Amino acid sequence: MATAAHQHTVSTPEPSRTFPADFLWGSATASYQIEGAAAEDGRTPSIWDTYARTPGRVRNGDTGDTATDHYHRWREDVALMADLGIGAYRFSLAWPRIQPTGRGPAVQKGLDFYRRLVDELLDKGIQPVATLYHWDLPQELEDAGGWPERATAERFAEYAALAADALGDRVRTWTTLNEPWCSAFLGYGSGVHAPGRTDPVAALRAAHHLNLAHGLAVQAIRDRTPAHSQCSVTLNIHHVRPLTGGDADADAVRRIDALANRVFTGPMLRGAYPEDLLKDTAALTDWSFVHDADLRQIHQPLDFLGVNYYTPTLVSQADGSGAHTSDGHGRSTHSPWPGARQVAFHQPPGETTAMGWAIDPSGLHDLLRRLAADFPGTPLVITENGAAFDDYADPSGNVNDPARIAYLHGHLAAVHQAIEDGADVRGYFLWSLLDNFEWAHGYSKRFGAVYVDYPTGARIPKASARWYSEVARTGVLPA
């Protein structure tokens, strides 16, 4: 008879994981969240300047007027990246810094800032990845109607051309839009993001014109940059799961998948809007704002799809009351989900970040597997993944953030498993390089690998920055 001691199985530690040798390790930021210098060198207000300065919109009345002062401290920030061994830096251009009214010639001082930044990155061996739009629409274009209007997409193509002309000889990798879902549905639907409008039809119109802007911008970039240039878009693809195994909850998943994901992947990657999306929203609009040639313009070949992932989305059939408070996107009496009153959102189980978002790396693995199956031949890059925690500097000036290290370890393991399962994932960008202005949360949420002491602007790499640096340097995720 076996003794009790022999009945125990000794659990073996998880092995270390080695990423492909050419896997790209990066970090990411966004212009309004870090630059500051809101009125310097010709820059005019964006919709986020206006929104943040509107009382009651942003926690504590915080604005991006100074942010982390990256506009003046960029050289220090690039040196930090070099010290951490980061191979690529995904940053965004501030449209109103380059083209203050959203029309006409570029302001050279604005372009010069990005020229200097790119030159410094290249000098330090860091690959620049430029995002044309991370939500800072020139306020003058919003005053003329904003993203619900076709003209905004046309202005965006002109701005893309200016940026490509100025930087295309040095920037090899371009991203047109960051998370157009947020721009359209949080900006024009629920109003929890700039410009703060709450019109479901305007949100759908905005989604279409963002799609069109993307397609026109890809064409403008390709026309003006060397043949080896890469074009992409970054989507916050929602990994939507049903609360139960019932048919009604499966239909709730279908509805949200259409509004969150396929409203963009359909036109961009397949050349058509999904029929079920058009049917679900038919009571709101006939989609006549989609013109005959639009889908051909939108459906441009991409070198990779950028994927932002933080947490899964859990849904069920609703009772008709329109309960949308647990979708993770901020509270509003207006829904960012037009035509989906039948759907209720639920808090996924498990531990959460300081944002209240469930920590679930399996969602990232499953999402990558799905994208690989749905869009074979389209390489994938994780363009944002990270977490906010309540970080602080201890008396000796160190910032220890073991919860972030655990979060990153779990999600990188999920990426590695997806690669082993056949997904063509080419890179990973940690969000974010620096603590920064976290949109409607102001400075209350810290996503950075580098701690920012806001009164002084001092930068302190957190324990997670040193940990990530070692993973990026070796390409090995430790056991």
Side-chain angles (χ1 to χ4, degrees):
M1 181 178 172
T3 64
H6 288 117
Q7 291 172 342
H8 271 301
T9 55
V10 180
S11 63
T12 55
E14 183 184 302
S16 62
R17 297 168 179 262
T18 301
F19 281 79
D22 58 352
F23 193 80
L24 190 62
W25 297 95
S27 187
T29 63
S31 49
Y32 188 72
Q33 293 183 273
I34 66 166
E35 284 183 2
E40 286 188 40
D41 294 335
R43 184 187 179 283
T44 55
S46 74
I47 54 174
W48 266 100
D49 292 284
T50 303
Y51 188 86
R53 293 168 189 163
T54 304
R57 289 295 203 183
V58 175
R59 185 176 297 189
N60 301 322
D62 292 342
T63 73
D65 287 359
T66 303
T68 70
D69 199 27
H70 173 73
Y71 191 75
H72 299 111
R73 305 180 71 140
W74 57 273
R75 192 172 270 111
E76 174 187 355
D77 291 339
V78 175
L80 258 177
M81 288 181 245
D83 180 54
L84 293 172
I86 287 168
Y89 175 48
R90 176 177 173 255
F91 62 97
S92 75
L93 309 177
W95 190 350
R97 196 177 291 294
I98 291 173
Q99 202 185 23
T101 65
R103 297 178 179 82
V107 171
Q108 291 306 313
K109 279 188 175 179
L111 283 173
D112 285 345
F113 169 69
Y114 297 110
R115 289 184 178 110
R116 290 192 298 269
L117 174 64
V118 167
D119 287 346
E120 188 79 3
L121 290 166
L122 292 171
D123 187 58
K124 295 286 194 289
I126 300 167
Q127 181 178 323
V129 178
T131 300
L132 286 171
Y133 188 73
H134 200 131
W135 309 350
D136 35 13
L137 181 72
Q139 181 61 43
E140 197 163 311
L141 291 186
E142 172 59 25
D143 293 343
W147 285 114
E149 298 304 318
R150 172 172 296 268
T152 305
E154 295 163 351
R155 298 293 80 73
F156 185 73
E158 294 163 6
Y159 154 63
L162 292 174
D165 284 340
L167 301 170
D169 59 334
R170 284 164 280 192
V171 173
R172 181 175 172 176
T173 306
W174 295 85
T175 298
T176 54
L177 307 172
N178 178 81
E179 297 187 351
W181 185 86
C182 295
S183 299
F185 295 100
L186 300 183
Y188 294 91
S190 66
V192 300
H193 276 194
R197 286 159 63 179
T198 54
D199 176 348
V201 177
L204 292 168
R205 290 175 60 96
H208 174 64
H209 294 127
L210 283 153
N211 280 328
L212 182 59
H214 156 77
L216 295 174
V218 168
Q219 295 172 69
I221 294 164
R222 295 216 190 273
D223 285 347
R224 288 166 173 79
T225 58
H228 65 247
S229 296
Q230 294 192 312
C231 287
S232 66
V233 68
T234 280
L235 304 178
N236 54 319
I237 306 274
H238 291 56
H239 182 60
V240 192
R241 290 172 168 159
L243 184 66
T244 73
D247 289 348
D249 287 4
D251 191 63
V253 168
R254 179 198 62 74
R255 279 180 185 272
I256 297 307
D257 181 56
L259 281 167
N261 303 328
R262 290 181 287 121
V263 64
F264 300 108
T265 59
M268 290 180 181
L269 300 175
R270 298 194 193 283
Y273 282 103
E275 287 297 328
D276 60 325
L277 170 70
L278 304 182
K279 199 177 295 182
D280 289 345
T281 55
L284 293 168
T285 176
D286 61 3
W287 289 76
S288 56
F289 46 81
V290 180
H291 294 188
D292 287 347
D294 287 0
L295 290 163
R296 183 171 49 79
Q297 300 275 25
I298 296 166
H299 186 210
Q300 297 297 316
L302 294 180
D303 296 289
F304 66 89
L305 174 64
V307 180
N308 291 359
Y309 173 88
Y310 293 94
T311 188
T313 301
L314 188 62
V315 300
S316 71
Q317 184 181 40
D319 57 11
S321 63
H324 297 281
T325 53
S326 296
D327 69 356
H329 294 299
R331 292 183 178 274
S332 170
T333 53
H334 299 271
S335 170
W337 304 104
R341 287 186 65 83
Q342 304 89 328
V343 180
F345 292 80
H346 305 272
Q347 174 68 31
E351 291 181 77
T352 61
T353 68
M355 295 290 286
W357 297 344
I359 299 171
D360 188 347
S362 73
L364 178 55
H365 170 264
D366 295 349
L367 176 59
L368 292 172
R369 289 285 306 275
R370 176 202 167 172
L371 291 170
D374 285 356
F375 307 107
T378 301
L380 306 171
V381 173
I382 310 301
T383 37
E384 286 182 27
N385 176 240
F389 293 104
D390 296 322
D391 305 318
Y392 61 91
D394 67 21
S396 58
N398 296 316
V399 182
N400 291 308
D401 54 345
R404 183 173 288 103
I405 293 173
Y407 180 100
L408 296 176
H409 191 286
H411 287 77
L412 284 169
V415 173
H416 189 273
Q417 187 60 52
I419 293 172
E420 291 211 320
D421 293 342
D424 184 8
V425 187
R426 304 277 180 93
Y428 177 94
F429 287 76
L430 169 67
W431 184 269
S432 173
L433 176 68
L434 303 166
D435 288 338
N436 56 42
F437 177 86
E438 183 49 39
W439 310 114
H441 298 278
Y443 296 99
S444 70
K445 304 297 182 195
R446 292 183 177 270
F447 273 91
V450 175
Y451 183 89
V452 176
D453 178 64
Y454 291 117
T456 66
R459 275 83 161 131
I460 305 171
K462 303 175 189 178
S464 61
R466 299 300 178 195
W467 179 89
Y468 182 66
S469 171
E470 183 67 10
V471 175
R473 189 180 62 78
T474 62
V476 176
L477 184 65

